[in-house]
């Protein structure tokens, strides 16, 4: 899992909007089993509050689902749990650094750092402009997601592979899985997944030795390829 934590001052306007916009983009690419998102504040001011009513209205207007939530503040231990800590503006970054103290793994970014035009996301709590905030956050979330997909070489299932190409990929990925050395905590999970890989391998051999045509095999092969990619992904990093 790649874990993303969005951060703003109050955790009621920008960062929850980013959380739900980002989750929606992830879901539409069918990547929810690879990438997760949450959001927090840097201040205690709004602790326990739900998302701002105008932030909700903007998400409703764009048909982006969200759930009832309670604002909470970033803690030092969040640093270990998340892979990306994404602030909305420069003052968020300063406050994040004050709380986590150090960023040895280079996890802290500003959301619009992923675009060609890095800048702050103006706080709609003060500007009253939720449209500008939404558009900037959407741009940042799209580029952040592209960057994660590229970095972790996640397959998005958008490519049109032939049966021969997908078989080659599956075999290659199964081979890559056998080269993983799981640590002591993950060895049981690794063995369970290896056993599932073997089962998939046997099923595919059965397909190949049957009278099935390439077109008939393709949907199952795509499912298997996706499943195997998820297993490989769990042991990446
Ligand atoms: P946000 O906006 O950081 O985008 O959630 C704010 C919401 C509330 C407050 C400040 C900023 N406040 O001070 O209550």
């Amino acid at each position: 899992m790649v874990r993303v934590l969005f951060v703003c001052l109050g955790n009621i306007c920008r960062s929850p909007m980013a959380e739900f916009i980002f989750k929606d983009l992830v879901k539409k690419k069918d990547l929810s089993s690879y990438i997760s998102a949450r959001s927090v504040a840097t201040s205690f001011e709004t602790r326990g509050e739900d998302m701002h009513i105008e932030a909700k209205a903007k998400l409703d207007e764009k048909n982006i689902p969200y759930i009832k939530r309670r604002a909470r503040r970033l803690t030092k231990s969040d640093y270990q749990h998340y892979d990306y800590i994404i602030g909305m503006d420069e003052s968020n970054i300063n406050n994040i650094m004050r709380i986590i103290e150090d960023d040895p793994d280079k996890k802290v970014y500003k959301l619009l750092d992923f675009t060609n035009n890095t800048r702050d996301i103006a706080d709609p709590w003060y500007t009253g402009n939720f449209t500008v905030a939404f558009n900037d956050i959407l741009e940042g979330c799209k580029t952040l997601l592209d960057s994660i997909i590229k970095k972790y070489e996640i397959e998005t299932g958008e490519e049109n592979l032939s049966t021969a190409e997908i078989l080659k990929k599956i075999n290659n990925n199964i081979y890559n899985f056998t080269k993983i050395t799981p640590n002591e905590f993950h060895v049981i999970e690794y063995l369970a997944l290896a056993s599932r890989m073997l089962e998939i391998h046997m099923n595919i051999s059965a397909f190949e030795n049957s009278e099935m045509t390439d077109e008939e095999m393709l949907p199952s092969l795509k499912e298997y390829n996706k499943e195997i990619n998820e297993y490989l992904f769990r042991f990446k990093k």
Side-chain angles (χ1 to χ4, degrees):
M1 232 351 156
V2 179
R3 297 181 175 87
V4 178
L5 187 63
F6 294 103
V7 187
C8 64
L9 178 60
N11 190 216
I12 60 171
C13 300
R14 292 166 295 171
S15 64
M17 278 168 92
E19 175 184 337
F20 294 118
I21 292 169
F22 186 76
K23 278 182 170 150
D24 190 54
L25 295 171
V26 166
K27 185 153 183 279
K28 284 179 175 148
K29 283 200 188 289
D30 202 14
L31 296 177
S32 303
S33 51
Y34 295 99
I35 305 168
S36 69
R38 288 280 186 281
S39 64
V40 290
T42 58
S43 87
F44 289 111
E45 294 292 312
T46 46
R47 185 162 51 182
E49 285 183 28
D50 196 1
M51 196 164 34
H52 191 284
I53 190 161
E54 287 197 54
K56 288 182 185 176
K58 192 44 92 177
L59 295 179
D60 284 336
E61 179 193 318
K62 305 285 180 182
N63 279 320
I64 295 173
Y66 56 87
I67 54 168
K68 188 170 165 56
R69 54 187 314 287
R70 289 164 57 81
R72 80 158 174 98
R73 187 181 186 254
L74 175 71
T75 63
K76 194 168 184 328
S77 62
D78 283 324
Y79 189 77
Q80 300 310 325
H81 187 69
Y82 291 93
D83 303 293
Y84 288 84
I85 315 244
I86 308 286
M88 300 293 136
D89 61 29
E90 209 56 46
S91 100
N92 297 156
I93 302 294
N94 293 336
N95 290 330
I96 291 168
M97 291 312 300
R98 208 164 295 140
I99 295 166
I100 64 172
E101 291 173 15
D102 194 11
D103 179 19
D105 303 324
K106 298 278 163 282
K107 297 178 176 183
V108 178
Y109 297 91
K110 215 157 65 171
L111 183 55
L112 292 172
D113 284 350
F114 294 88
T115 69
N116 296 326
N117 175 18
T118 184
R119 60 199 190 276
D120 285 355
I121 291 173
D123 193 341
W125 173 263
Y126 299 107
T127 65
N129 196 331
F130 281 79
T131 302
V132 167
F134 178 89
N135 292 340
D136 283 351
I137 292 167
L138 179 61
E139 182 188 346
C141 285
K142 280 181 177 165
T143 48
L144 168 63
L145 181 55
D146 287 345
S147 158
I148 293 174
I149 288 171
K150 215 167 175 183
K151 177 169 178 204
Y152 291 90
E153 296 172 347
I154 301 170
E155 285 190 31
T156 57
E158 283 162 357
E159 54 216 311
N160 246 334
L161 296 176
S162 70
T163 298
E165 286 164 334
I166 213 161
L167 277 170
K168 204 165 158 196
K169 263 194 165 205
I170 290 175
N171 284 329
N172 208 14
N173 282 339
I174 291 181
Y175 177 62
N176 285 339
F177 194 81
T178 65
K179 291 193 292 189
I180 291 168
T181 312
N183 68 28
E184 60 194 298
F185 302 108
H186 293 125
V187 71
I188 295 294
E189 187 189 12
Y190 178 83
L191 291 174
L193 298 183
S195 148
R196 173 67 184 144
M197 293 272 200
L198 179 62
E199 190 176 47
I200 291 173
H201 173 74
M202 310 268 276
N203 290 350
I204 292 174
S205 299
F207 286 169
E208 289 188 289
N209 293 320
S210 74
E211 299 294 312
M212 277 172 101
T213 64
D214 280 4
E215 290 76 59
E216 285 167 343
M217 269 189 236
L218 202 52
S220 304
L221 293 181
K222 281 189 172 163
E223 283 300 307
Y224 285 146
N225 189 40
K226 188 163 171 273
E227 188 181 337
I228 291 170
N229 266 300
E230 283 177 21
Y231 298 162
L232 261 184
F233 185 71
R234 269 193 231 173
F235 289 92
K236 252 182 190 169
K237 285 198 291 166

